[in-house]
Amino acid sequence: MPLLRAALSWNFVLATAICASLLAQLIKVLLNLFIFHRFIAERMWGAGGMPSSHSATVCAMVVATGRYCGVNSPIFAIAAVLSIIVMYDAMGVRYETGEQAKVLNRMFTEWMDQGFEQFQLPHGKKLKEMVGHTPIEVVTGAALGIVLGFAMPMV
């Protein structure tokens, strides 16, 4: 607790946003343990999945900024606009990138099965498919960030 208190007194907004990000990533790991019954290390830092750590981070930042600077401040406005862009991007462009990666990976696998080795990705890797979020993942992450933003004690 002394470390958290020191971080909050150093920079309340940043510490709150980082805590939200870490909590969201921890929840992803725990959900994977519960659902798939296995530890997936990549879930500790990887993008995509439930809940959206991007949404949790920016929503916690917005709430903390509003609490610290006031909702009428230009800094709050900047934080709010940034959070909208990040969440829109997570559901839109990044989600579609993941969907395209699924199709391309399937195509590469079929081509390899047919003997077209020239279409193999370097080192036999696959394109990352989990890079974006569904709307429910974004909303859940946003709710997590908002709750944490209000729950963090102002020092």
Side-chain angles (χ1 to χ4, degrees):
M1 240 358 177
L3 182 62
L4 178 61
R5 186 171 300 282
L8 289 171
S9 65
W10 171 70
N11 191 320
F12 174 72
V13 174
L14 180 59
T16 301
I18 290 171
C19 285
S21 180
L22 293 174
L23 181 59
Q25 290 302 119
L26 176 64
I27 291 170
K28 286 181 191 184
V29 170
L30 295 175
L31 282 175
N32 275 281
L33 279 171
F34 180 72
I35 295 169
F36 301 115
H37 306 289
R38 62 188 169 131
F39 175 73
I40 303 171
E42 192 270 339
R43 293 290 75 216
M44 291 191 296
W45 59 82
M50 171 71 91
S52 166
S53 60
H54 291 85
S55 298
T57 303
V58 295
C59 285
M61 175 190 65
V62 168
V63 172
T65 301
R67 289 179 63 202
Y68 189 78
C69 301
V71 294
N72 293 326
S73 71
I75 296 170
F76 176 80
I78 292 168
V81 169
L82 175 69
S83 70
I84 292 167
I85 292 169
V86 167
M87 290 186 290
Y88 177 81
D89 183 61
M91 281 191 307
V93 175
R94 291 179 57 245
Y95 180 77
E96 287 301 319
T97 299
E99 293 300 301
Q100 291 170 5
K102 288 176 187 174
V103 171
L104 288 171
N105 284 336
R106 203 168 355 182
M107 288 170 56
F108 289 139
T109 300
E110 288 177 17
W111 289 339
M112 292 303 296
D113 291 345
Q114 295 173 9
F116 294 103
E117 280 80 23
Q118 68 268 27
F119 293 111
Q120 183 176 2
L121 291 171
H123 309 293
K125 292 184 177 179
K126 289 188 167 203
L127 297 172
K128 188 171 179 182
E129 296 177 2
M130 191 177 278
V131 293
H133 295 284
T134 63
I136 191 69
E137 292 169 344
V138 169
V139 169
T140 303
L144 175 66
I146 291 167
V147 168
L148 189 66
F150 281 116
M152 291 294 276
M154 288 186 68
V155 178

